[in-house]
Amino acid sequence: TRRISLQKSPLQTIGEEQTQNPYTELLVLKAHHDIVRFLVQLDDYRFASAGDDGIVVVWNAQTGEKLLELNGHTQKITAIITFPSLESCEEKNQLILTASADRTVIVWDSDTGRQVQRISCFQSTVKCLTVLQRLDVWLSGGNDLCVWNRKLDLLCKTSHLSDTGISALVEIPKNCVVAAVGKELIIFRLVAPTEGSLEWDILEIKHLLDHQDNILSLINVNDLSFVTGSHIGELIIWDALDWTMQAYERNFWDPSPQLDTQQEIKLCQKSNDISIHHFTCDEENVFAAVGRGLYVYNLHMKRVIACQKTAHDSSVLHIAKLPNRQLISCSEDGSVRIWELREKQQLAAEPVPTGFFNMWGFGRVNKQASQPVKKQQENATSCSLELIGDLIGHSSSVEMFLYFEDHGLVTCSADHLIILWKNGERESGLRSLRLFQKLEENGDLYLAV
Amino acid sequence: MISAPDVVAFTKEEEYEEEPYNEPALPEEYSVPLFPFANQGANPWSKLSGAKFSRDFILISEFSEQVGPQPLLTIPNDTKVFGTFDLNYFSLRIMSVDYQASFVGHPPGSAYPKLNFVEDSKVVLGDSKEGAFAYVHHLTLYDLEARGFVRPFCMAYISADQHKIMQQFQELSAEFSRASECLKTGNRKAFAGELEKKLKDLDYTRTVLHTETEIQKKANDKGFYSSQAIEKANELASVEKSIIEHQDLLKQIRSYPHRKLKGCDLCPGEMEHIQDQASQASTTSNPDESADTDLYTCRPAYTPKLIKAKSTKCFDKKLKTLEELCDTEYFTQTLTQLSHIEHMFRGDLCYLLTSQIDRALLKQQHITNFLFEDFVEVDDRMVEKQESIPSKPSQDRPPSRSLEECPIPKVLISVGSYKSSVESVLIKMEQELGDEEYKEVEVTELSSFDPQENLDYLDMDMKGSISSGESIEVLGTEKSTSVLSKSDSQASLTVPLSPQVVRSKAVSHRTISEDSIEVLSTCPSEALIPDDFKASYPSAINEEESYPDGNEGAIHFQASISPPELGETEEGSMENTPSQIDSCCIGKESDGQLVLPSSPAHTHSDEDGVVSSPPQRHRQKDQGFRVDFSMENASPSSRDDSCEGFPAYELDPSHLLANRDISKTSLDNYSDTTSYVSSVASTSSDRIPSAYPAGLSSDRHKKRAGQNALKFIRQYPFAHPAIYSLLSGRTLVVLGEDEAIVRKLVTALAIFVPSYGCYAKPVKHWASSPLHIMDFQKWKLIGLQRVASPAGAGTLHALSRYSRYTSILDLDNKTLRCPLYRGTLVPRLADHRTQIKRGSTYYLHVQSMLTQLCSKAFVYTFCHHLHLPTHDKETEELLASRQASFLKLTLGLVNEDVRVVQYLAELLKLHYMQESPGTSHPMLGFDYVPSFLYKI
């Protein structure tokens, strides 16, 4: 039943019996009154949530207790990031930086909820924030790119880049950052003050114009490479040092001229189906959320080793790889699904999904793209993504989730809710532990001699 | 509720009055004459034979200085209740036992009249001719126009069941004291007002007289005073004297020892005021003063009148009514209190006792009882709040105060032998006073004193003298009980008396009065239980008697298995004892307070090794009884609320607000023809025996719920998995088109829903919008509207989306979709072939089964080795297997029953650890198990 069929790709379902699903307890957290879009981990037990209502809420992931509510923004929050405290100065608390559509960035003390500072000199909405911890600076990306230090002094900024603004920003080696601006990738280099010059500076080094459409996702794979994904399903792996393409896949969308008009309409509707919303990766693989599907791209083999074309009913918004070969995905359909990457021995009889990218091709195989790939697959082990559980709770699109090793999973959604999913068995044990601790504190614990 | 089904025979439903009671034929040797009037052929529950009234009522009488004893009013105020019973005659009887020399006059050595703040007296008397027995509570009110400024009144609880009066003596006394205190507070207020007016009058009169005298002086230049002038001067002098006297009286009434108000017997209106006082006590240097000014200052403007020299004869004027004497507000409050008393003691004695025992036992289960009991938590909290209040003021009283304050007339005897007995008692009390050691023992004994024993004991006394043939018999004053026990009923005391008891007997010799009126038992005041009375309880014996072994198996089980629980209980009793004493004997507890904290602690350490539960239980139980009364105190409004049915909601407005409305409307589900509220409001409704305010409503509720649950079990073959869903915390959605039917079933099934520890069950009776994930976290039983329109599609879609969290009972299609159940617990709980026919019986059955289940959950939760590894290297698997085998082998749980206990255990853990219960909803736990569709 879980075999991938080329003709049709029905949504894989799992019954009510989910023996491998550890999440048997949930706690609904309600504090927001609009879409909750961001979750950020503060430490081992705390996280912050933010969204369209402009408030930031700090939660205890263990108890679900609401710790702080940070009010300051007048419009929706567009980016949130934590600025870890420096090892050297211990008195400093961890900071939370939030950018909002009200064209401000507010710096918060994550322990007290105090508003440390508010920056409102922006010409445009800041859409992304990144911290370069090594240099102890942070960058804000809107229509231009600004560099700030911990004391919130503006160190330097670029000229106006584009009206659409920077959609994604990551740090790459050699004091460089890469910014996604529309279809373009721009490499900037930060010049830190040296003995020669006391000024910070930021230089545009290179423009990469290989994407055909807007870049939606950008992450670092490792120290040597980063990956980008575009609206029309182009996946490019770049060398982080010389900014050349290491791999390029753009066969997601293959608008065949033979398609009749009806199909073309269908295609247009489905164009969203191949946009790459999110990446996650481990040492071997890049996991991509492509439309409604999930794809696992192996970095060594340079090919897709497993996929779920219809992992969800609608677009997958966020994915994460857990240490135990598990992949979690959340989607606009309101569900969260837990997958396991299983190696399977390739059977000759079973047709391998040819060419990862033409699976969207309505049953037709793109010969050109698939031929070399198929050859590679023949003597390699392949993997499969097996659905081992789903979490049903949200009534609207699940925007993001956060995984705590000790406390379970936190999901946030357009239904204004945050849900804390926990391992019921473990929680039960912890409750017992606390119960006996309390008994002992009260002096009510009698142990048989 | 711990009541076993076998007590059900005694529970009363309204039908029984019609049904003839078929007495089973017993062999001669087993037939015990249970009831004194049984030989008259009537069943003991029909109409209490011999009595001329149909049921218990309260009578207020006055000893009028104009016409003598006269009945004033009865509660309920319904001639049908007392029927042909001669109220006038009985008023004469009850007023004639009043001992009170609450005498205002000029005591020797005092220049002005002195007001005595007389304690109330409490007498039990019987009139075998009338078949009436009464608890009589005498009190004195002040009236400026009355002879000696006093008006003697009495309130009597009249019942045909003498055992009821005797056995509920403590409770009656406490309740009536509250009513009396309310009357007296109002009276003091009114009296002070009267005095103020009178003073103004006098002042005005003096001014007028003074002017007249001056005029006469001026007019008179002859050098001598005319007789007219002399008369005026005398008049003026007497007015002056009168002013001083009245000022003194006013001072006296205002200086009424305020701490009395702070005792437990507060009238409801005063309560908040006093609570404020208590909280301010640390900051305010003299709380009494401020209270007094509060109480007596605000008076409306008053135009003084001239007082004529010759006052009218008292027979010429109409005496003030009780209402006028007491200030309307307080009078109304008193009437409310009295009708509360009437409600509280309605019904058969054994029911009263059972429910009292039941409540007392429930108190012991404070860790688990939140799961299935109604509003127990509320009680506890109220009590905790209450406890701090009464103990405080009494502690700063000097220990000897009680004796100073309780002068001779405290001891109550029949009128004839008043003097002699007073003497003997006085001597005795002095002896006791000198004996500190002795006192200590008494106090400890008091703490384990059981009202029921009291009764048995007094019963014995009564039997000795019941044959006296007099129309009203005094069967003993409490001062004489120990004597009686020695002379008449020693034979029945098989266990050797403890030294203390013997000693107490030795000091309390007194002859019994041989009057034509015999007093069964008296308690001189709410403030005083005489020491020999306390000491003379052979409590050790009675404990054995009143608690047959094996009766409460579950309790024994708990006590012996779990030391932590035991410790808790003991601690609880320790904390509670002071308040308990407070509530029953204000005058004496000053001694008790000093001693008490140490003695239970001592017991505690003694019992560390050997678990001996009976004494604790008694202490607990005692506490339980008092607790109810004090709870009443703490929430003056609770009675009103109870008429609405759900007092608990008042207490936590922040939580489950919506639920309150739902529950209110859900009351309709229980009523057949009449509206629920009206039936409660009318005093002629069913007997509502519980002393619990909540009981007023829940009794009827329980019955209906039980009936409907029984119906459900018989009607639906898949009742078991549905009930299993409820017990294991999987939300059951009852889907249907007809709101009334859905609500009815939801109300019935709610009896199986464990609470989170909040004040209300997590039950939503009726929802019409699509369900949300929050609903499953919040509610464990939901009545859901099925809508045929497209809007309904959303509802059904949500249901199918969240199907893993719910079981769905479709009433329209008669299907159930839920996980499989193969346990043995639910079949016992809900046997469709059960012989139980009545709703209330079934409710009791369910409660007793659930209590058993709770005890299993308790043991499982609090067994240390089941949840924590015994050593570091122990794996989780080993722990899990130990848990599994405990659940299976030790607790005897089969298959899915394990899930039920596990769920309850989680709730117990959460509840135990919650600092402030009810603040949040617990997590939603669920299983990934397949569901099945059941059809009829």
Side-chain angles (χ1 to χ4, degrees):
Chain A
T1 54
R2 286 175 194 165
R3 264 190 43 205
I4 298 157
S5 136
L6 281 175
Q7 290 300 323
K8 268 185 153 186
S9 48
L11 179 69
Q12 197 180 4
T13 54
I14 185 166
E16 281 166 322
E17 210 166 353
Q18 302 177 9
T19 48
Q20 284 181 281
N21 188 343
Y23 300 105
T24 54
E25 249 181 54
L26 67 83
L27 202 58
V28 181
L29 312 182
K30 190 155 172 46
H32 289 281
H33 31 268
D34 208 335
I35 299 174
V36 190
R37 291 190 192 272
F38 304 102
L39 294 171
V40 59
Q41 184 169 352
L42 300 178
D43 48 39
D44 285 345
Y45 75 102
R46 289 185 308 155
F47 67 94
S49 63
D52 288 4
D53 55 6
I55 60 170
V56 179
V57 183
V58 178
W59 304 90
N60 181 332
Q62 164 64 37
T63 60
E65 192 189 348
K66 179 173 148 181
L67 300 173
L68 297 168
E69 186 176 309
L70 315 179
N71 288 291
H73 288 297
T74 56
Q75 288 186 45
K76 67 178 189 176
I77 287 169
T78 51
I80 181 169
I81 197 168
T82 59
F83 202 163
S85 55
L86 281 181
E87 300 284 322
S88 51
C89 44
E90 281 171 20
E91 80 282 357
K92 280 268 189 178
N93 287 329
Q94 186 186 28
L95 301 175
I96 302 173
L97 276 63
T98 54
S100 158
D102 62 9
R103 297 190 177 180
T104 61
V105 168
I106 299 181
V107 181
W108 312 87
D109 185 319
S110 72
D111 293 326
T112 63
R114 192 172 56 90
Q115 189 172 321
V116 178
Q117 200 164 338
R118 180 192 186 93
I119 309 165
S120 46
C121 60
F122 294 99
Q123 302 299 311
S124 59
T125 301
V126 174
K127 287 180 181 161
C128 47
L129 294 166
T130 192
V131 169
L132 306 188
Q133 222 177 330
R134 200 166 39 82
L135 298 172
D136 200 28
V137 296
W138 58 276
L139 281 69
S140 65
N143 292 352
D144 51 14
L145 186 64
C146 304
V147 184
W148 310 80
N149 68 8
R150 185 179 281 272
K151 288 173 192 153
L152 307 177
D153 304 316
L154 180 62
L155 301 176
C156 56
K157 63 185 274 186
T158 64
S159 57
H160 180 86
L161 296 167
S162 129
D163 284 339
T164 50
I166 298 171
S167 58
L169 196 61
V170 294
E171 181 188 7
I172 52 175
K174 298 199 282 188
N175 284 2
C176 288
V177 290
V178 55
V181 184
K183 297 174 188 174
E184 261 182 284
L185 282 176
I186 307 176
I187 312 287
F188 294 98
R189 173 169 289 150
L190 246 98
V191 183
T194 55
E195 282 172 19
S197 73
L198 290 170
E199 293 296 306
W200 284 81
D201 201 4
I202 185 158
L203 307 167
E204 260 181 64
I205 304 289
K206 187 161 187 176
H207 284 244
L208 305 168
L209 300 160
D210 298 280
H211 275 293
Q212 304 292 307
D213 205 340
N214 286 339
I215 297 162
L216 298 180
S217 44
L218 162 65
I219 64 156
N220 272 316
V221 174
N222 49 41
D223 286 344
L224 299 172
S225 52
F226 61 92
V227 60
T228 55
S230 79
H231 186 66
I232 50 161
E234 301 157 300
L235 178 146
I236 302 177
I237 295 172
W238 304 87
D239 189 307
L241 299 172
D242 59 10
W243 317 306
T244 56
M245 261 199 275
Q246 288 184 338
Y248 173 78
E249 301 285 357
R250 67 136 292 169
N251 307 42
F252 274 119
W253 187 48
D254 190 27
S256 313
Q258 298 98 316
L259 294 174
D260 59 26
T261 39
Q262 211 182 343
Q263 275 172 315
E264 250 175 308
I265 291 163
K266 211 168 157 191
L267 187 76
C268 292
Q269 286 167 340
K270 281 192 149 194
S271 68
N272 201 32
D273 272 351
I274 49 170
S275 60
I276 302 177
H277 283 283
H278 194 241
F279 288 116
T280 187
C281 47
D282 59 13
E283 300 77 31
E284 300 166 11
N285 303 307
V286 170
F287 302 86
V290 182
R292 299 188 291 166
L294 296 172
Y295 290 83
V296 184
Y297 182 84
N298 189 287
L299 291 166
H300 307 306
M301 289 184 259
K302 300 211 171 185
R303 66 174 183 90
V304 170
I305 55 164
C307 72
Q308 276 291 342
K309 287 185 295 174
T310 320
H312 281 273
D313 271 332
S314 50
S315 292
V316 179
L317 297 180
H318 193 90
I319 51 173
K321 171 76 174 36
L322 304 192
N324 48 2
R325 290 187 75 79
Q326 281 181 5
L327 184 70
I328 298 181
S329 61
C330 68
S331 150
E332 278 175 356
D333 66 8
S335 69
V336 175
R337 296 188 152 209
I338 306 165
W339 310 86
E340 192 173 78
L341 187 64
R342 290 187 188 151
E343 282 185 17
K344 63 174 180 192
Q345 213 58 46
Q346 201 62 55
L347 297 172
E350 192 174 358
V352 177
T354 48
F356 128 69
F357 298 101
N358 54 18
M359 272 174 274
W360 301 101
F362 312 103
R364 43 179 54 250
V365 173
N366 185 323
K367 302 282 185 209
Q368 292 164 310
S370 62
Q371 288 299 9
V373 177
K374 196 168 185 176
K375 207 172 181 194
Q376 280 181 315
Q377 284 168 345
E378 268 161 6
N379 46 11
T381 53
S382 188
C383 294
S384 66
L385 278 174
E386 297 291 331
L387 181 63
I388 59 167
D390 60 349
L391 307 179
I392 305 289
H394 289 293
S395 55
S396 185
S397 159
V398 181
E399 299 288 326
M400 196 180 171
F401 61 85
L402 203 60
Y403 174 75
F404 281 87
E405 179 112 43
D406 294 328
H407 309 303
L409 199 67
V410 189
T411 57
C412 68
S413 157
D415 63 5
H416 312 177
L417 299 179
I418 295 168
I419 298 182
L420 210 55
W421 304 86
K422 287 171 173 279
N423 180 332
E425 244 172 77
R426 182 154 68 178
E427 292 298 312
S428 168
L430 288 173
R431 277 192 287 270
S432 281
L433 192 67
R434 287 200 297 275
L435 175 82
F436 288 108
Q437 274 166 358
K438 182 170 176 180
L439 277 171
E440 204 164 359
E441 280 165 25
N442 297 353
D444 291 332
L445 192 60
Y446 296 75
L447 290 174
V449 181
Chain B
M1 168 108 32
I2 299 159
S3 314
D6 57 350
V7 299
V8 162
F10 300 110
T11 65
K12 168 182 166 183
E13 299 193 28
E14 63 281 353
E15 304 96 282
Y16 76 73
E17 282 187 17
E18 285 83 57
E19 285 170 8
Y21 178 72
N22 298 320
E23 208 166 40
L26 275 175
E28 191 61 37
E29 61 270 31
Y30 293 116
S31 106
V32 181
L34 287 170
F35 187 65
F37 301 100
N39 53 0
Q40 295 174 16
N43 81 65
W45 285 286
S46 65
K47 191 170 169 181
L48 285 166
S49 335
K52 289 174 176 165
F53 48 94
S54 58
R55 56 173 228 235
D56 299 359
F57 64 98
I58 295 169
L59 170 68
I60 301 184
S61 309
E62 179 196 4
F63 196 102
S64 162
E65 62 192 58
Q66 291 173 351
V67 298
Q70 58 168 349
L72 295 180
L73 55 98
T74 61
I75 293 166
N77 190 13
D78 181 1
T79 44
K80 269 185 275 176
V81 170
F82 50 87
T84 58
F85 187 69
D86 189 344
L87 293 179
N88 281 309
Y89 168 77
F90 206 74
S91 294
L92 173 68
R93 285 304 189 190
I94 58 182
M95 288 311 289
S96 62
V97 284
D98 187 15
Y99 70 100
Q100 300 221 34
S102 46
F103 133 103
V104 182
H106 297 253
S110 163
Y112 309 115
K114 282 266 177 279
L115 288 179
N116 274 343
F117 296 109
V118 196
E119 303 286 354
D120 297 352
S121 78
K122 299 160 181 187
V123 189
V124 172
L125 57 81
D127 185 335
S128 49
K129 205 184 270 173
E130 292 278 319
F133 297 87
Y135 164 87
V136 186
H137 193 109
H138 292 281
L139 69 151
T140 315
L141 299 179
Y142 301 109
D143 182 356
L144 204 51
E145 289 154 20
R147 193 192 303 159
F149 301 141
V150 291
R151 302 268 301 269
F153 287 90
C154 85
M155 302 178 284
Y157 184 89
I158 300 165
S159 168
D161 183 358
Q162 93 181 57
H163 297 263
K164 181 147 129 190
I165 301 287
M166 300 304 281
Q167 298 198 20
Q168 300 296 309
F169 182 82
Q170 296 287 326
E171 290 79 4
L172 281 166
S173 156
E175 292 298 318
F176 273 102
S177 295
R178 197 171 300 136
S180 155
E181 207 49 60
C182 190
L183 277 180
K184 288 194 289 185
T185 311
N187 174 243
R188 278 192 300 276
K189 203 175 158 185
F191 187 62
E194 276 299 290
L195 278 170
E196 277 175 358
K197 282 183 196 169
K198 183 71 179 263
L199 275 172
K200 280 184 185 146
D201 290 347
L202 286 168
D203 197 50
Y204 178 69
T205 311
R206 182 176 62 180
T207 323
V208 171
L209 283 175
H210 196 75
T211 328
E212 282 175 8
T213 318
E214 287 302 307
I215 292 167
Q216 275 188 352
K217 257 190 206 164
K218 276 183 192 158
N220 176 18
D221 40 7
K222 288 174 194 164
F224 61 90
Y225 295 109
S226 67
S227 62
Q228 223 182 355
I230 293 170
E231 200 179 303
K232 276 278 180 251
N234 283 340
E235 215 174 296
L236 192 61
S238 79
V239 168
E240 298 275 5
K241 187 178 176 244
S242 184
I243 287 178
I244 296 172
E245 280 178 8
H246 280 85
Q247 276 171 341
D248 192 64
L249 282 176
L250 185 61
K251 209 175 85 190
Q252 287 180 45
I253 195 82
R254 278 183 173 165
S255 67
Y256 175 78
H258 207 276
R259 88 206 106 65
K260 292 198 180 193
L261 294 178
K262 290 183 188 168
C264 64
D265 291 321
L266 286 168
C267 66
E270 206 83 341
M271 196 54 208
E272 287 158 29
H273 183 75
I274 301 309
Q275 275 183 330
D276 289 348
Q277 287 277 303
S279 57
Q280 287 166 8
S282 49
T283 49
T284 323
S285 57
N286 194 346
D288 286 10
E289 222 167 63
S290 63
D292 276 339
T293 42
D294 275 3
L295 267 175
Y296 301 118
T297 41
C298 329
R299 306 247 145 257
Y302 173 70
T303 327
K305 302 187 291 278
L306 187 68
I307 294 176
K308 287 178 187 157
K310 286 190 176 173
S311 61
T312 47
K313 284 266 181 279
C314 63
F315 286 102
D316 298 343
K317 63 176 186 235
K318 193 175 165 285
L319 284 172
K320 287 197 186 69
T321 63
L322 187 56
E323 185 171 353
E324 286 164 339
L325 274 180
C326 298
D327 190 291
T328 311
E329 186 195 335
Y330 286 87
F331 181 69
T332 326
Q333 264 175 22
T334 311
L335 288 189
T336 321
Q337 163 71 3
L338 289 176
S339 66
H340 165 67
I341 295 176
E342 195 267 328
H343 269 276
M344 191 172 157
F345 293 98
R346 257 188 220 175
D348 193 75
L349 174 64
C350 74
Y351 193 98
L352 288 179
L353 289 177
T354 313
S355 58
Q356 281 170 359
I357 291 168
D358 189 44
R359 265 176 283 128
L361 289 175
L362 261 183
K363 288 281 183 293
Q364 296 182 10
Q365 297 186 309
H366 63 281
I367 289 185
T368 56
N369 59 13
F370 74 93
L371 286 171
F372 293 104
E373 301 296 335
D374 300 326
F375 313 123
V376 180
E377 203 54 31
V378 183
D379 284 7
D380 290 344
R381 281 159 63 97
M382 297 306 297
V383 172
E384 277 164 31
K385 236 201 270 173
Q386 177 66 11
E387 266 162 17
S388 56
I389 298 155
S391 57
K392 212 177 176 182
S394 49
Q395 263 167 351
D396 42 49
R397 244 186 278 170
S400 57
R401 189 62 170 267
S402 55
L403 279 182
E404 289 169 18
E405 271 211 11
C406 314
I408 299 151
K410 302 236 102 174
V411 186
L412 239 222
I413 325 110
S414 48
V415 190
S417 59
Y418 176 65
K419 202 145 195 184
S420 62
S421 53
V422 163
E423 280 165 12
S424 64
V425 169
L426 192 65
I427 292 161
K428 183 185 62 60
M429 289 173 99
E430 277 164 2
Q431 283 176 338
E432 284 174 6
L433 194 68
D435 198 345
E436 291 299 330
E437 205 182 304
Y438 172 46
K439 268 221 158 94
E440 274 190 32
V441 179
E442 281 171 2
V443 177
T444 18
E445 281 195 356
L446 176 69
S447 65
S448 62
F449 151 71
D450 177 359
Q452 225 183 317
E453 294 158 15
N454 174 3
L455 268 281
D456 296 345
Y457 195 60
L458 291 168
D459 256 7
M460 293 192 293
D461 299 341
M462 278 189 314
K463 270 155 203 153
S465 52
I466 203 150
S467 55
S468 72
E470 298 291 340
S471 80
I472 291 187
E473 302 136 88
V474 177
L475 297 181
T477 69
E478 65 203 76
K479 282 289 169 195
S480 67
T481 47
S482 53
V483 183
L484 282 171
S485 77
K486 195 176 182 185
S487 55
D488 296 330
S489 32
Q490 181 114 28
S492 63
L493 307 175
T494 48
V495 179
L497 293 172
S498 65
Q500 294 93 340
V501 175
V502 173
R503 183 163 189 178
S504 80
K505 283 184 185 172
V507 293
S508 57
H509 275 282
R510 194 174 61 79
T511 47
I512 322 158
S513 96
E514 268 148 29
D515 243 72
S516 68
I517 295 170
E518 293 189 27
V519 179
L520 297 181
S521 150
T522 62
C523 179
S525 76
E526 75 264 64
L528 184 69
I529 288 184
D531 287 335
D532 59 342
F533 190 51
K534 300 175 202 165
S536 59
Y537 290 117
S539 50
I541 301 161
N542 281 316
E543 274 162 20
E544 295 291 318
E545 288 169 355
S546 56
Y547 280 88
D549 276 35
N551 211 10
E552 281 87 29
I555 308 300
H556 280 297
F557 182 51
Q558 276 198 4
S560 51
I561 285 212
S562 60
E565 161 74 336
L566 191 59
E568 292 263 330
T569 336
E570 282 196 330
E571 262 182 23
S573 77
M574 228 154 90
E575 284 161 22
N576 291 327
T577 339
S579 77
Q580 158 218 325
I581 300 226
D582 265 359
S583 52
C584 69
C585 44
I586 287 181
K588 273 290 173 187
E589 88 291 35
S590 42
D591 307 270
Q593 292 261 304
L594 298 174
V595 181
L596 258 172
S598 65
S599 40
H602 181 242
T603 330
H604 181 60
S605 60
D606 269 358
E607 287 170 359
D608 245 351
V610 189
V611 176
S612 103
S613 29
Q616 287 157 18
R617 264 197 257 135
H618 283 266
R619 222 172 296 147
Q620 276 291 305
K621 183 175 172 181
D622 220 16
Q623 164 218 338
F625 292 136
R626 300 282 143 54
V627 150
D628 289 328
F629 303 130
S630 44
M631 185 194 79
E632 276 296 297
N633 257 341
S635 59
S637 62
S638 70
R639 228 168 297 128
D640 310 349
D641 296 339
S642 67
C643 291
E644 288 173 29
F646 290 83
Y649 294 105
E650 292 290 342
L651 297 164
D652 190 8
S654 67
H655 184 67
L656 302 180
L657 258 184
N659 198 28
R660 181 186 159 82
D661 299 329
I662 289 153
S663 304
K664 259 190 189 166
T665 46
S666 76
L667 289 174
D668 299 335
N669 302 337
Y670 320 124
S671 52
D672 303 318
T673 48
T674 50
S675 116
Y676 178 76
V677 174
S678 70
S679 67
V680 167
S682 77
T683 43
S684 57
S685 65
D686 304 350
R687 179 206 57 149
I688 296 164
S690 175
Y692 226 21
L696 286 177
S697 67
S698 52
D699 223 39
R700 199 182 163 85
H701 168 129
K702 287 169 185 171
K703 200 180 120 194
R704 291 276 168 229
Q707 252 168 18
N708 289 328
L710 207 52
K711 223 181 268 173
F712 171 73
I713 290 158
R714 295 215 171 101
Q715 197 178 345
Y716 292 91
F718 47 71
H720 292 173
I723 291 170
Y724 163 69
S725 280
L726 294 172
L727 288 175
S728 61
R730 186 177 174 116
T731 303
L732 180 70
V733 176
V734 179
L735 188 64
E737 274 180 69
D738 185 336
E739 176 169 356
I741 294 174
V742 171
R743 279 181 178 278
K744 208 167 162 183
L745 185 58
V746 167
T747 310
L749 290 176
I751 63 177
F752 300 106
V753 178
S755 300
Y756 296 151
C758 311
Y759 300 126
K761 292 221 167 194
V763 174
K764 190 171 177 68
H765 289 79
W766 184 246
S768 42
S769 52
L771 297 177
H772 208 249
I773 187 76
M774 285 284 259
D775 296 318
F776 306 117
Q777 191 178 329
K778 225 190 268 182
W779 312 112
K780 290 298 164 201
L781 175 60
I782 303 175
L784 184 65
Q785 183 180 23
R786 177 200 297 278
V787 192
S789 70
T795 307
L796 292 180
H797 177 259
L799 263 193
S800 73
R801 178 172 174 81
Y802 296 122
S803 62
R804 67 177 56 168
Y805 305 117
T806 60
S807 298
I808 300 163
L809 177 62
D810 187 333
L811 283 186
D812 303 326
N813 300 321
K814 306 243 183 288
T815 60
L816 173 74
R817 189 191 168 282
C818 81
L820 197 64
Y821 174 73
R822 293 159 302 166
T824 58
L825 182 89
V826 180
R828 271 180 283 147
L829 189 65
D831 182 4
H832 67 280
R833 286 171 304 190
T834 177
Q835 296 297 309
I836 298 173
K837 287 185 180 66
R838 284 180 177 162
S840 54
T841 314
Y842 181 68
Y843 185 86
L844 291 178
H845 167 70
V846 169
Q847 288 288 294
S848 99
M849 294 285 295
L850 292 177
T851 305
Q852 209 180 344
L853 183 62
C854 286
S855 69
K856 286 184 178 177
F858 176 85
V859 172
Y860 173 70
T861 313
F862 287 89
C863 251
H864 188 270
H865 75 283
L866 290 177
H867 303 281
L868 300 180
T870 45
H871 53 84
D872 298 337
K873 287 175 188 167
E874 200 167 59
T875 60
E876 281 182 29
E877 287 75 28
L878 203 61
L879 206 58
S881 74
R882 197 158 55 209
Q883 283 178 11
S885 79
F886 182 83
L887 288 166
K888 204 172 162 185
L889 303 174
T890 315
L891 297 182
L893 300 168
V894 183
N895 298 328
E896 281 80 16
D897 291 341
V898 168
R899 290 292 303 141
V900 174
V901 169
Q902 279 173 338
Y903 173 66
L904 296 182
E906 292 309 310
L907 292 182
L908 283 179
K909 287 181 208 170
L910 285 170
H911 186 257
Y912 186 82
M913 284 181 297
Q914 239 167 7
E915 271 77 26
S916 49
T919 49
S920 67
H921 299 291
M923 75 298 158
L924 168 62
F926 48 92
D927 290 318
Y928 296 102
V929 289
S931 285
F932 295 86
L933 190 69
Y934 294 85
K935 290 176 188 166
I936 284 192

